C-alpha cells in the first residue's frame, strides 16, 4: 500500500507503485509513473511524461518534468526518465526533452542533486553523479558516471563531461572535460586529474600512474591536442584508452586542454 496525504493531488492516469509515500500538497500529473518506494516530500510537483525510479526521494518544492525552457519548444510530447535510488533535494528543477534534442532527458541511478540544481532539456546524466547546491546544467549536455559538479557551477549547453571528472565550485564550463579531469576557475581550466575520486573508487596504482603519464603527454607532447590523445590508444591501460576514445568522439564543443 502507498501512503498519500489527503491534500495531495494525483491526476487520473498517474501510476503509483507499491510502497510510495506522497506528502502534503504534492501534485502528480496524469502521465507520471512513480516506481515502487518513491517518496515525495511536501509541495513537490511531478508532471509531464515523467518516470521516477524505485526508492528515489524528491524533497520539497522541486518541480520535476515541467516543459523545457527553450523558445523552440512547441508543445510536442517529450520525456523525462529518472533512475533508481536518487536523492533530489529542495527546489531542484528537471525538464523534459525537446524534439530537436532527441526527446528525452535522463538521470541515471544513485545520484544526488542538491538544493537548487537545474537539469535542462535533453541532458543525459549518468550514475552516481553529484550536483552540488545551485549547479546548473544547460540543454543537451552529457554528464558521465561518477562526476561531481561543484556548487554554483554553470555547464554550457552541448558540453560533455567525461566519467569520473570533478568540477570545482563556482566554475563556468564552456568546453568538453576529459574523463577523470579536474577543472576549476571562474572560466574552467583543466588543472589535472581527479585523483581523490579515482582513489575513492579503488583505482589501482598502476592505472593512476598510467593516467598521470597520459595527462603529461596531453599537456606536453607533440602535435595538436587531438593528435596527442589519438597517440594514447596504443596503451595497455583501459582508463587511458577510455580517455583517448572520449576525445576522439564527435562533439559539438571544443575541449578544455591542460594548462602549461
Amino acid at each position: 500500500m502507498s501512503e498519500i496525504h489527503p491534500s495531495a493531488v494525483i491526476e487520473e492516469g498517474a501510476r503509483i507503485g507499491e510502497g510510495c509515500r506522497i506528502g502534503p500538497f504534492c501534485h502528480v500529473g496524469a502521465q507520471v509513473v512513480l516506481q515502487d518506494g518513491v517518496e515525495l516530500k511536501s509541495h513537490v510537483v511531478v508532471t509531464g511524461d515523467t518516470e521516477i525510479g524505485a526508492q528515489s526521494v524528491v524533497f520539497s518544492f522541486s518541480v520535476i518534468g515541467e516543459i523545457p525552457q527553450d523558445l523552440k519548444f512547441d508543445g510536442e510530447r517529450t520525456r523525462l526518465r529518472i533512475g533508481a535510488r536518487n536523492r533530489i533535494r529542495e527546489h531542484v528543477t528537471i525538464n523534459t526533452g525537446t524534439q530537436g534534442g532527441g526527446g528525452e532527458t535522463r538521470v541515471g541511478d544513485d545520484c544526488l542533486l542538491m538544493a537548487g540544481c537545474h537539469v535542462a532539456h535533453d541532458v543525459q546524466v549518468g550514475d552516481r553523479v553529484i550536483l552540488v547546491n545551485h549547479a546548473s546544467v544547460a540543454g543537451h549536455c552529457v554528464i558521465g558516471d561518477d562526476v561531481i559538479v561543484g556548487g554554483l557551477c554553470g555547464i554550457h549547453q552541448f558540453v560533455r563531461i567525461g566519467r569520473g571528472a570533478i568540477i570545482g565550485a563556482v566554475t563556468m564550463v564552456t568546453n568538453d572535460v576529459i574523463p577523470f579531469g579536474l577543472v576549476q576557475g571562474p572560466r574552467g581550466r583543466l588543472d589535472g586529474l581527479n585523483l581523490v575520486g579515482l582513489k575513492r573508487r579503488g583505482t589501482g596504482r598502476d592505472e593512476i600512474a598510467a593516467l598521470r603519464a597520459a595527462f603529461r603527454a596531453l599537456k606536453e607532447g607533440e602535435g595538436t591536442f587531438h593528435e596527442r590523445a589519438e597517440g594514447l590508444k596504443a596503451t595497455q591501460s583501459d582508463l587511458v584508452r577510455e580517455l583517448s576514445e572520449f576525445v576522439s568522439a564527435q562533439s559539438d564543443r571544443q575541449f578544455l586542454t591542460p594548462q602549461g
Side-chain angles (χ1 to χ4, degrees):
M1 290 288 292
S2 294
E3 299 178 22
I4 301 176
H5 193 275
S7 65
V9 175
I10 312 297
E11 294 186 13
E12 185 177 353
R15 294 161 54 192
I16 311 298
E18 289 294 324
C20 290
R21 301 178 62 187
I22 300 177
F25 304 105
C26 291
H27 189 137
V28 179
Q31 302 173 52
V32 170
V33 177
L34 303 182
Q35 295 185 3
D36 294 348
V38 169
E39 180 177 3
L40 308 182
K41 303 287 189 177
S42 68
H43 300 84
V44 172
V45 175
V46 186
T47 187
D49 184 352
T50 297
E51 182 171 344
I52 300 180
Q55 308 302 320
S56 293
V57 181
V58 185
F59 286 72
S60 300
F61 303 105
S62 292
V63 179
I64 310 300
E66 193 50 273
I67 64 171
Q69 299 178 107
D70 184 341
L71 294 175
K72 298 186 299 297
F73 183 74
D74 195 29
E76 61 268 23
R77 180 166 176 172
T78 56
R79 302 170 297 283
L80 168 62
R81 297 293 181 261
I82 297 174
R85 299 175 304 279
N86 290 291
R87 296 295 178 267
I88 299 172
R89 295 304 303 254
E90 298 82 358
H91 297 277
V92 168
T93 54
I94 310 176
N95 296 155
T96 57
T98 64
Q99 189 173 42
E104 182 170 288
T105 305
R106 179 172 292 273
V107 176
D109 299 332
D110 300 299
C111 297
L112 171 59
L113 279 60
M114 296 188 190
C117 291
H118 174 63
V119 177
H121 58 87
D122 306 296
V123 169
Q124 307 296 305
V125 177
D127 299 333
R128 300 174 301 279
V129 170
I130 298 175
L131 302 182
V132 181
N133 300 292
H134 298 284
S136 293
V137 183
H140 311 281
C141 291
V142 179
I143 311 294
D145 296 343
D146 301 301
V147 166
I148 298 175
V149 179
L152 297 169
C153 285
I155 312 299
H156 194 283
Q157 58 261 40
F158 294 102
V159 159
R160 298 182 305 146
I161 299 180
R163 182 168 76 92
I166 185 168
I167 313 299
V170 200
T171 295
M172 179 65 195
V173 180
T174 57
N175 292 317
D176 287 353
V177 178
I178 61 172
F180 320 112
L182 164 64
V183 171
Q184 56 189 351
R187 284 283 175 170
R189 303 180 308 172
L190 183 59
D191 279 349
L193 296 170
N194 182 14
L195 296 174
V196 172
L198 288 164
K199 291 173 182 176
R200 283 176 177 171
R201 291 190 293 277
T203 307
R205 288 186 176 182
D206 290 346
E207 284 282 20
I208 290 177
L211 281 170
R212 278 178 154 163
F215 187 83
R216 287 195 298 272
L218 287 174
K219 183 176 180 180
E220 301 168 357
E222 298 291 332
T224 67
F225 180 75
H226 281 79
E227 288 169 346
R228 297 195 292 269
E230 188 71 20
L232 299 174
K233 287 186 176 178
T235 180
Q236 298 299 309
S237 165
D238 291 340
L239 297 186
V240 174
R241 281 197 300 273
E242 178 182 338
L243 188 158
S244 177
E245 290 166 2
F246 186 92
V247 174
S248 299
Q250 183 176 354
S251 175
D252 293 301
R253 307 295 298 173
Q254 295 181 336
F255 273 92
L256 291 173
T257 55
Q259 302 300 301

